[in-house]
Amino acid sequence: MAGRPRVAIWKFASCDGCQLTVLDCEDELLAIAGAVEIAYFPEASRTFGRGPYDISLVEGSITTPHDAERIHRIRRLSKVLIAIGACAASGGIQALRNRRDVAEFAAVVYAKPQYIETLAHSTAIADHVAVDFELRGCPISKAQLLAVITALLAGRAPAIPRHSVCLECKQRGLVCVLVAGGTACLGPITQAGCGAICPAFNRGCYACFGPAEAGNPASLIRRLRDLGVPDADILRALRTFNVNAEPFARAAQGLEGR
């Protein structure tokens, strides 16, 4: 990118965890700040620079009519749009609402639900506009974020691993909690990015980074059943951070159809 690229960071329905990961870059962020102009980042600055923007990082899912309009405006203002985090990439944990009557939820929670404007479904950014790149995770990986921004500044395509968490376990020399320990683990069908944090503490993977490209949920489900894991527990594991991700949603529907 010629000159000093202008960067904007946007929030939709989310917990702000991915934006906090941006701030957690600390020293690295200061170095990057010298190469870019942070034009819009309400989480960290009172400066609200007008577009257009060279790079927009978008956190959160689309859950209201206003958000559905706003994301189109952001897309028009952005040369490169990157969806960051599970909410932006797949609808997030709030996509659990997609299987229920949202009006019923609103009636239970709010005294005057008629004033609540919400969509029936929580959806990913890519369901509404073209997305140039997605960073998975709940929250995203600091290292992957820096790798993507550095690649864009250098004018090359970002290279983010698409293999499963299992390879990260092997790289760390960890004993497989699924095979050796009989622990329910979604690592074989989950994209790498976390550094195998949970298996490092002898816990099964919770699929924070969403489905791996070559994952085989049906095979893993058979293995989990062999270990005595009830279908209800498998279903619950698939319906967490990336409940609306297509491979996980399809596998969960298959379990319910039994």
Side-chain angles (χ1 to χ4, degrees):
M1 293 182 178
R4 209 163 155 243
R6 305 183 77 234
V7 177
I9 303 174
W10 309 87
K11 170 186 165 58
F12 287 86
S14 62
C15 70
D16 287 30
C18 292
Q19 292 183 85
L20 292 176
T21 298
V22 176
L23 294 174
D24 191 44
C25 290
E26 297 178 342
D27 293 342
E28 298 92 338
L29 185 61
L30 291 174
I32 290 174
V36 303
E37 175 192 348
I38 307 295
Y40 183 87
F41 189 8
E43 185 87 4
S45 172
R46 296 179 182 176
T47 301
F48 299 142
R50 291 181 175 273
Y53 309 100
D54 294 291
I55 303 172
S56 277
L57 305 178
V58 180
E59 176 193 50
S61 64
I62 304 301
T63 58
T64 69
H66 175 257
D67 285 351
E69 295 175 2
R70 189 163 67 104
I71 190 58
H72 283 277
R73 180 172 60 85
I74 292 170
R75 176 68 270 189
R76 290 193 296 270
L77 291 172
S78 309
K79 291 182 181 178
V80 175
L81 189 148
I82 303 174
I84 60 172
C87 295
S90 70
I93 199 167
Q94 57 267 33
L96 285 167
R97 70 194 278 179
N98 297 2
R99 302 176 54 255
R100 294 290 186 267
D101 183 355
V102 174
E104 181 183 347
F105 290 158
V108 170
V109 174
Y110 298 100
K112 296 183 181 295
Q114 64 270 27
Y115 295 115
I116 303 300
E117 290 189 1
T118 188
L119 298 173
H121 297 118
S122 172
T123 49
I125 300 301
D127 290 331
H128 298 266
V129 298
V131 170
D132 297 295
F133 200 81
E134 285 184 350
L135 270 182
R136 306 266 197 88
C138 186
I140 56 172
S141 158
K142 170 182 170 180
Q144 288 191 358
L145 172 65
L146 293 170
V148 168
I149 293 177
T150 301
L152 291 174
L153 292 177
R156 56 180 173 80
I160 298 299
R162 301 299 182 190
H163 51 256
S164 74
V165 171
C166 292
L167 182 55
E168 291 186 315
C169 282
K170 297 296 182 290
Q171 290 171 333
R172 294 189 61 171
L174 301 177
V175 174
C176 179
V177 298
L178 176 64
V179 175
T183 300
C185 178
L186 298 183
I189 61 173
T190 301
Q191 181 175 298
C194 65
I197 293 175
C198 290
F201 288 92
N202 204 35
R203 299 177 65 182
C205 170
Y206 289 89
C208 301
F209 276 69
E213 285 185 352
N216 188 340
S219 177
L220 179 61
I221 288 171
R222 287 194 297 270
R223 175 59 178 155
L224 293 175
R225 284 175 172 157
D226 289 342
L227 292 173
V229 180
D231 280 6
D233 291 350
I234 301 174
L235 190 63
R236 190 177 301 112
L238 290 169
R239 286 179 169 159
T240 53
F241 312 98
N242 291 278
V243 55
N244 204 41
E246 197 273 334
F248 289 176
R250 187 173 63 247
Q253 288 169 1
L255 278 173
E256 282 189 320
R258 282 176 58 86

